[in-house]
Amino acid sequence: MQMNYVFDIDGTLTPARSPIEPEFKNFFLKWRKGKNVYLISGSDYEKSVEQVGKDVLEAVNACFNTAGNICYKKGTVIYRNDWNAPTDLVTMLEDFLKTSKFPIRAGRHLEHRIGMLNFSIVGRDCTRKQRKDYNMFDLKVKERKKFCKIIMETFPDIEATVGGQISIDIYALGMNKAQIIKHINGPIYFFGDKTKKGENDYAIARKLTSPPNKVFTVKNWQDTQNILKNL
Ligand code: M1P
């Protein structure tokens, strides 16, 4: 059976929160010819368009967004799973916003996406410098991990994982990136940069550790490119 290649986008095919490097994009578009290739992201489709471009998204078999809660084939929605975050959860997140010791609130702290909620103390409207500062703060105090633990202890039917640099991703139990496996026929090679426990590629990575499946944990897109060149 033909191998399926599944790639996380942010930090795996692109630099964090930035567009794909043009040289790597050309390489990737040539490399994927004749292969089954899928993309998966915690972000929405519009963000993926900004990061890798419509040409890449339409050249792959499918793109799964918002942790696999919506799927696009050549720009057309194939399925979507809607979910409304409970009011008690939103109240808890608002409390986190009041109590976090990080001093900046830049705006857009709760982002409701298809099938999930993204939450950030510094806020999605932050500058690059504020994003970096929050990330440094969180590396020290592990605030996001603590939030995830509290959320999951309080709401047993909800899952929360550390997102990228500043946020956490929250969804109904099981509605994480691993859900896309059932939509793909045959073995999977998965590439992701956040495959550790508590990170947002972990749920899918832990299901693909046995042959013929394989997980490639990468440091950045350069790492991904080197692996693809030597496959
Ligand atoms: O794709 C990884 C993550 O990218 C963003 O994370 P952050 O803003 O924290 O760097 C978010 O879109 C997040 O949902 C996503 O998982």
Side-chain angles (χ1 to χ4, degrees), residues 185-198:
N185 272 330
I188 297 177
Y189 277 3
F190 175 71
F191 294 74
D193 67 326
K194 295 257 168 14
T195 60
K196 282 199 221 108
K197 197 168 182 188

Side-chain angles (χ1 to χ4, degrees), residues 8-10 17 41-44 47 51 111 113 116 118 124 131 144 162-169 177 200:
D8 163 57
I9 296 181
D10 200 46
R17 313 313 301 148
S41 173
S43 302
D44 55 24
K47 186 72 204 161
Q51 285 192 278
E111 189 171 85
R113 301 179 185 162
M116 66 175 276
N118 180 263
R124 305 210 63 74
R131 173 175 271 278
R144 291 187 295 168
V162 170
Q165 296 172 311
I166 57 162
S167 63
I168 64 177
D169 291 334
K177 288 186 180 180
N200 67 7

Side-chain angles (χ1 to χ4, degrees), residues 211-231:
N213 303 311
K214 196 167 174 178
V215 174
F216 296 87
T217 300
V218 299
K219 289 192 199 79
N220 46 41
W221 65 267
Q222 292 94 329
D223 221 5
T224 305
Q225 186 174 30
N226 285 334
I227 295 168
L228 297 183
K229 278 181 180 166
N230 293 306
L231 267 183

Side-chain angles (χ1 to χ4, degrees), residues 68-88:
N69 285 301
I70 187 161
C71 172
Y72 293 83
K73 259 188 194 167
K74 307 216 179 300
T76 301
V77 175
I78 302 300
Y79 73 79
R80 60 183 278 172
N81 306 319
D82 290 289
W83 178 67
N84 289 322
T87 321
D88 290 358

Side-chain angles (χ1 to χ4, degrees), residues 102-120:
F102 188 74
I104 296 156
R105 303 288 181 273
R108 206 146 59 96
H109 303 277
L110 275 84
E111 189 171 85
H112 295 269
R113 301 179 185 162
I114 307 292
M116 66 175 276
L117 176 62
N118 180 263
F119 172 70
S120 167

Side-chain angles (χ1 to χ4, degrees), residues 122-146:
V122 63
R124 305 210 63 74
D125 287 339
C126 64
T127 62
R128 284 209 164 260
K129 161 99 175 49
Q130 290 166 340
R131 173 175 271 278
K132 213 174 148 205
D133 290 348
Y134 180 78
N135 192 245
M136 297 301 287
F137 166 84
D138 185 60
L139 282 173
K140 248 191 251 151
V141 305
K142 308 262 179 302
E143 169 173 87
R144 291 187 295 168
K145 265 194 176 169
K146 286 177 201 155

